Amino acid sequence: MSKYLFEPPPPVSVEIAGLNVRFPINRIFCVGRNYAAHVREMGFDPDREEPCYFTKSARCLAPSGSEIPYPPGTENYHHEIELVVAIGRAGFELPVDAALSVVYGYACGLDMTRRDLQVASRENKGPWDIGKDFENSAIIGQIRTVEEIGHPASGRIQLSVNDELRQDSDLENLIWSVPEIIAHLSRFYRLEPGDLIYTGTPDGVGPVRRGDHITGSVASAGEITLTIGR
Ligand code: MN
């Protein structure tokens, strides 16, 4: 067996509530513009269009409870609270009514965004990576298993910054439901165990500053905290 030139990066994984094994991460898919009020606040018409996807590297993940540095290159660093789906089984071209069978569990997540860079990329008709896919941009709480919480389709999704409520909605307001997203995504990708899907954020996104403390929760999928370093 050949040796590596340098030590490969360690596998990325997430805690599972109540278990002493970790959930290894493969890929991170994200859905854009999936709550009508957020679509409107971003300047678009929430008429039912095809779901919009982007991806983040698994190396962007940081656990809930982290203190992360304010990222470079931005003056408009935004919070987005989201329901995260953890895929536990392979799935390809899944019908909507079978899509939930590949879900292992759910978590509360933050899709942290360099909004100024994302909007600039969008206006140049370029990729969103520089605004979305960067170190510590995918925050995740513990995964709660389907066995424990079932499949949350309704319930409060909320986020506060320094105890001031900024985002407050309900999972019922998702334009594309979890099974619809999984079915649609599985027409374009062969979903694999370890894939995560960030399902989109409700309205109320906004900037955070150095020293801010974020708290949030998503129905029965758990809670999340994040501190922005000074
Ligand atoms: Mn998002």
Side-chain angles (χ1 to χ4, degrees):
M1 182 178 146
S2 357
K3 289 190 170 175
Y4 293 107
L5 178 64
F6 53 85
E7 193 62 30
V12 177
S13 63
V14 173
E15 265 185 64
I16 303 170
L19 296 184
N20 59 6
V21 294
R22 296 179 66 85
F23 186 88
I25 302 304
N26 186 37
R27 295 173 292 184
I28 304 177
F29 298 99
C30 304
V31 185
R33 309 207 289 252
N34 203 18
Y35 288 81
H38 173 63
V39 176
R40 281 192 289 269
E41 78 179 350
M42 295 300 289
F44 294 89
D45 182 345
D47 275 352
R48 216 174 149 89
E49 45 186 43
E50 290 279 292
C52 149
Y53 302 110
F54 57 93
T55 57
K56 297 195 186 215
S57 156
R59 306 233 76 87
C60 295
L61 273 181
S64 172
S66 296
E67 175 173 325
I68 62 169
Y70 193 92
T74 183
E75 291 175 4
N76 198 18
Y77 180 41
H78 274 207
H79 55 76
E80 296 191 356
I81 182 110
E82 312 202 357
L83 173 68
V84 181
V85 181
I87 301 293
R89 288 189 189 162
F92 182 54
E93 297 181 338
L94 295 163
V96 172
D97 63 8
L100 291 178
S101 67
V102 301
V103 178
Y104 174 77
Y106 296 88
C108 182
L110 298 173
D111 164 16
M112 298 303 292
T113 300
R114 295 192 281 214
R115 188 74 69 204
D116 40 3
L117 301 186
Q118 182 208 5
V119 169
S121 312
R122 208 176 60 202
E123 284 169 359
N124 295 332
K125 302 199 188 314
W128 292 9
D129 304 45
I130 200 167
K132 286 291 194 181
D133 186 359
F134 55 98
E135 294 92 343
N136 303 308
S137 65
I139 315 299
I140 190 164
Q142 291 182 325
I143 292 170
R144 307 271 156 119
T145 64
V146 168
E147 199 174 16
E148 183 193 349
I149 65 163
H151 296 280
S154 65
R156 191 177 186 200
I157 174 169
Q158 60 87 22
L159 175 143
S160 294
V161 179
N162 305 329
D163 295 325
E164 180 199 327
L165 189 63
R166 296 268 191 96
Q167 294 189 266
D168 191 9
S169 187
D170 194 289
L171 293 177
E172 280 179 349
N173 296 326
L174 278 166
I175 296 172
W176 295 87
S177 69
V178 169
E180 287 172 334
I181 291 165
I182 293 170
H184 187 268
L185 192 60
S186 79
R187 288 159 47 189
F188 301 93
Y189 296 91
R190 296 168 195 278
L191 297 178
E192 293 171 356
D195 289 341
L196 297 178
I197 305 171
Y198 280 63
T199 56
T201 198
D203 61 311
V205 301
V208 290
R209 296 183 175 79
R210 289 175 177 80
D212 279 352
H213 185 61
I214 298 174
T215 54
S217 63
V218 178
S220 55
E223 299 177 350
I224 201 159
T225 69
L226 180 70
T227 302
I228 314 301
R230 288 193 181 275

